[in-house]
Amino acid sequence: MKKILIIGTGGTIASIPSEDGFVPGLDANALISMVPGLSELADLECLQIMDLDSSNIGPEHWELMAETIQNNYAKYDGFVFTHGTDTMAYSAAAISQMVNNCQKPIVFTGAQLTMGEEGTDAKANIYFSVMTAASDLKGVVIAFGDRVINGLMAKKMCTENFNGFWSINALPLAEIKDNKLVWHSTIGAGYGEGEFSVQTKLEKMVAVIKITPGLSSDVLDYYVAKGYKGLVLESYGAGGVPNADNNWLPALERTLKAGIMVYCATQCVYDGVHLDRYPIGILAERLGAKSAGYHNVEAILTKLMVELAK
């Protein structure tokens, strides 16, 4: 049987009631003890590295996750992170870009209901995540509901639906049908043929700015003054910025000349960024802004953190 490491980080899946609502309280060992049939899928070991609501997870925690994979990669055939849903897409995207040439499954999962609630999705998600980690998959994925999703293409779309994560601009890698994984591809994010390696440091002075009607471009000057190294502009449509009465181009030029790397992303969920279509995108690109392409905000933000830390 394959040897799988279950890595606990907290989240709803591990939460218990408190005076202030649900809070993480179950470690990875407790979680797997509550899911029947896991011993038939793989030889499991557990490691608890944090105990957080995922709203509190950030780049320093992704560095810890990456270090955990690096330190245990040779010892196990696959890995499962149990994680809160709120930032799981960010965590999966970060680890997808921090591991290089990954030949083993790295699976993120969580739940919309706590393990102790009636009708919980936690047991099924853990079961199928272990099944995914014991498969021939290579690379980073989110396994949630009835889908296995490339770690760079997942987005949380629902706050309650058990299929809360969708695969953006690509089919899921696998679907669960009749309690079996039906694979469309066994290649997840971070897969490659070279020597396995892990980048364990990120540039944390990176931010996302959502452009809204009337928002002044002065906000860019704030980030320059505060010493930020990279910005993602969550722009309209195909990725352009305003250039009429509320003209963002002069402030964008100042930002780029200050040495800040800027990516233009889109507020749309599907179809990506195309800076070559309209003057507002073409002019931004001429100044030095980069296109996020088909990356969603979770993926391009973490990509920027990885690039700037190299």
Side-chain angles (χ1 to χ4, degrees), residues 32 74 82 90 92-93 106 159 187 198 211 225 234 275 284 290:
I32 67 167
T82 58
Y90 287 96
I106 301 174
T159 60
I187 302 301
V198 180
I211 298 176
E234 194 175 346
L275 293 183
K290 299 175 182 290

Side-chain angles (χ1 to χ4, degrees), residues 138-177:
K138 298 176 175 65
V140 183
V141 299
I142 286 178
F144 199 94
D146 63 8
R147 302 163 188 160
V148 177
I149 302 170
N150 184 301
L152 283 175
M153 296 177 179
K155 180 179 281 290
K156 185 179 180 182
M157 299 290 283
C158 308
T159 60
E160 296 184 344
N161 190 290
F162 283 179
N163 278 320
F165 288 83
W166 294 11
S167 181
I168 306 303
N169 293 318
L171 287 172
L173 299 182
E175 298 171 84
I176 297 166
K177 296 181 178 180

